[in-house]
Amino acid sequence: MKNKNTNNKTPMKNKASFSRRSFIKKSTLAATGFSIIPRFVMGQGFTPPSDKINLGFIGLGKQSVGLASRFIENTNAQIVAGCDVWSTKNTAFQNLVKKQYASNRKKETYNGISVHKEYKAILEQSNIDAVVIATPDHWHAIQAIDALNADKHVYCEKPLTHRISEGIALVDTVKQTGKILQTGSMQRSWENFRKACELVRNGYLGEITKILVNVGDPAIDYNFEEEPVPSEVNWNNWCGPAPLLAYNHRLAPARNNVDFWPDWRLFKETGGGILCDWGAHMFDIAQWAIGMDRSGPIRYIPPTDRTAVRGLRMFYANGIEMVHEDFGRGWGVRFIGSEGSLDVSRGYLDSNPKQLIATELNDADVRLYDSEGKHYNDWLQSIANNTSPLCDVETGHRSATICNIANIAYQLNEPLNWNPKEQHFMGNMRANALRSRDNRIFN
């Protein structure tokens, strides 16, 4: 292990410290539209009505159930509306929220939530301050941009966008509107992931030479057999900007109490494969660890086998190689440095040599933004304080961009040179064309 009192660390750019205490600054709340009464005036534990952030949920599928429970637990927020193209999911979500709020507030019933079939109905409600977007990936950017332009703050599930051009537009819209967007990459709020990234960032593994990221397969073309469209759904609006696909219950089940996650994630038309679905988590951690939240790899080299679903190599300008590779431990990240290696996932955090993981940071080390394990509350606090959240729009966009470029590289099966600053491929018209797509006109 290198002497931590020297400057002999992994060379990184932008090694700013993002501790929670230093990150949250005093600021006027005028820009957020809130008039907050100090809690000490109201009494310990009391949340005044003006302090509550009214939330609308867009997309009431399986993911929304867990998200709703998280926000219901937080007394600084209140869910007042939801919307989905499925009448079954509208009813189930409304009942879920009513039941949980009634239980939490010791009341027989709670009638403070409305449901809608069109997401724009939520954006038109002046009493809604922010929205939670949990729709399939192909809807994320459109709904997020509409929400921002309707003066709403946004929490959007990962991957933040379906196409690179969407991410660029979304970043620009956040800048123009001044609203707060948090990406749902909640692993950044988990202690083990932050600890791993701090050890890497501060050079405890020596010079990082390689990163292995194991996530699922690239996206494929839609191939499910057609089934009758259920009467409970507006299927045209579910497909929305995507091609009008043949309905199949595995793509989009009518109810959330199924024993599988809907398979829209697998297909190019509506998702980015599990490469994007889990890559938005694991490539995100790799980016955070090496200080590349505003950048990304500059060269992508796919495997020579056109049928391969692993083996894509990515290179950063500083020479670090990142590989989409199964290293035998499930979805996770392995950092390899000159003085050791470190593995991290949702199920493990360990290192070689073993004692490396027990390293305590010293006072001179970089500390990464600590949300204290509260990813959802971090967004609400950022809204109230008018500060940037842990996983802001640029961070979410850059992590999604890696996943989207990875899909393009596997599809074209040729090396790609990417300019992270200008956000285009150099000398490759076919690749540049795939940064966006023509959305279907469906209304």
Side-chain angles (χ1 to χ4, degrees):
M1 188 65 60
K2 293 181 180 178
N3 186 332
K4 296 302 296 171
N5 293 321
T6 72
N7 292 323
N8 194 7
K9 299 181 180 181
T10 307
M12 300 291 172
K13 296 181 180 179
N14 302 322
K15 293 178 63 175
S17 175
F18 295 103
S19 68
R20 185 66 188 166
R21 288 188 295 274
S22 65
F23 201 90
I24 300 298
K25 300 179 177 69
K26 294 181 180 179
S27 65
T28 177
L29 297 177
T32 68
F34 297 111
S35 176
I36 293 180
I37 303 171
R39 282 186 175 80
F40 69 84
V41 174
M42 305 303 295
Q44 183 67 28
F46 183 86
T47 303
S50 60
D51 202 358
K52 287 187 183 295
I53 298 171
N54 285 340
L55 301 178
F57 267 62
I58 300 175
L60 307 181
K62 196 166 184 176
Q63 182 68 8
S64 72
V65 176
L67 288 171
S69 296
R70 292 291 189 179
F71 285 108
I72 287 171
E73 291 171 358
N74 192 303
T75 58
N76 294 327
Q78 179 166 273
I79 301 171
V80 300
C83 70
D84 203 284
V85 296
W86 286 94
S87 60
T88 46
K89 295 180 182 181
N90 275 329
T91 300
F93 187 82
Q94 188 175 44
N95 290 338
L96 168 73
V97 173
K98 281 183 176 183
K99 182 179 180 180
Q100 290 198 27
Y101 272 135
S103 176
N104 289 356
R105 298 177 184 188
K106 311 299 182 186
K107 294 182 178 181
E108 292 184 4
T109 185
Y110 170 79
N111 295 315
I113 176 171
S114 61
V115 291
H116 311 269
K117 292 183 179 179
E118 297 280 350
Y119 76 91
K120 289 185 179 179
I122 282 186
L123 303 186
E124 292 167 359
Q125 290 185 220
S126 60
N127 67 316
I128 292 178
D129 306 303
V131 297
V132 176
I133 297 175
T135 48
D137 298 351
H138 68 291
W139 266 113
H140 284 182
I142 294 171
Q143 292 168 336
I145 289 173
D146 283 349
L148 293 164
N149 285 327
D151 203 33
K152 314 298 185 190
H153 303 284
V154 173
Y155 180 99
C156 187
E157 268 301 332
K158 58 82 226 162
L160 186 58
T161 52
H162 188 227
R163 302 285 168 166
I164 297 168
S165 60
E166 293 177 341
I168 296 170
L170 188 53
V171 170
D172 288 342
T173 305
V174 169
K175 290 177 181 177
Q176 292 163 10
T177 61
K179 310 308 288 185
I180 307 298
L181 186 148
Q182 173 88 300
T183 310
S185 298
M186 77 289 186
Q187 287 184 170
R188 289 198 178 212
S189 288
W190 294 17
E191 183 179 357
N192 275 3
F193 285 103
R194 189 185 71 257
K195 180 176 182 179
C197 291
E198 286 178 335
L199 290 174
V200 172
R201 183 78 72 93
N202 287 291
Y204 286 97
L205 274 69
E207 182 176 356
I208 299 297
T209 57
K210 196 170 187 177
I211 304 171
L212 306 182
V213 178
N214 185 33
V215 291
D217 295 355
I220 59 174
D221 293 322
Y222 185 61
N223 60 10
F224 280 167
E225 293 184 1
E226 186 171 7
E227 298 173 352
V229 177
S231 60
E232 301 97 331
V233 66
N234 183 332
W235 187 243
N236 181 57
N237 282 6
W238 188 96
C239 293
L244 187 60
L245 303 173
Y247 176 77
N248 186 286
H249 77 283
R250 290 285 313 194
L251 183 70
R255 290 167 177 79
N256 293 328
N257 59 344
V258 292
D259 60 358
F260 61 91
W261 287 95
D263 284 330
W264 53 258
R265 294 165 172 81
L266 304 180
F267 303 111
K268 295 176 182 177
E269 294 84 354
T270 53
I274 304 304
L275 172 58
C276 277
D277 189 54
W278 272 87
H281 282 308
M282 297 305 177
F283 288 118
D284 181 70
I285 293 301
Q287 288 268 105
W288 198 24
I290 63 174
M292 287 290 173
D293 281 346
R294 266 51 184 166
S295 186
I298 63 170
R299 185 161 174 78
Y300 293 72
I301 303 177
T304 55
D305 181 358
R306 294 191 66 89
T307 65
V309 293
R310 298 290 190 282
L312 177 67
R313 302 168 67 202
M314 296 156 268
F315 294 88
Y316 289 87
N318 61 10
I320 294 176
E321 178 183 9
M322 183 162 65
V323 188
H324 177 215
E325 179 179 317
D326 185 353
F327 55 91
R329 304 193 67 183
W331 304 155
V333 185
R334 171 171 291 172
F335 298 96
I336 301 171
S338 59
E339 297 190 19
S341 63
L342 183 151
D343 289 2
V344 62
S345 80
R346 295 186 182 183
Y348 53 78
L349 173 62
D350 51 43
S351 62
N352 182 20
K354 291 183 179 181
Q355 66 270 21
L356 190 153
I357 205 64
T359 303
E360 296 290 338
L361 299 185
N362 62 47
D363 292 342
D365 283 332
V366 171
R367 304 298 176 108
L368 297 175
Y369 186 140
D370 182 7
S371 69
E372 300 171 357
K374 300 174 181 177
H375 198 70
Y376 315 99
N377 187 55
D378 176 70
W379 176 53
L380 300 175
Q381 288 186 354
S382 295
I383 293 172
N385 292 295
N386 195 29
T387 54
S388 183
L390 169 58
C391 197
D392 67 6
V393 63
E394 183 78 35
T395 298
H397 161 54
R398 295 293 182 164
S399 294
T401 294
I402 292 177
C403 302
N404 287 323
I405 295 177
N407 267 318
I408 293 171
Y410 278 113
Q411 178 179 336
L412 297 182
N413 195 241
E414 60 186 80
L416 300 174
N417 295 314
W418 174 252
N419 184 325
K421 183 176 181 181
E422 302 296 331
Q423 300 192 77
H424 66 75
F425 296 100
M426 294 183 286
N428 195 316
M429 294 179 61
R430 286 201 305 159
N432 278 320
L434 293 173
R435 291 181 304 164
S436 61
R437 75 169 177 188
D438 294 328
N439 289 328
R440 181 175 70 98
I441 299 173
F442 60 97
N443 286 331

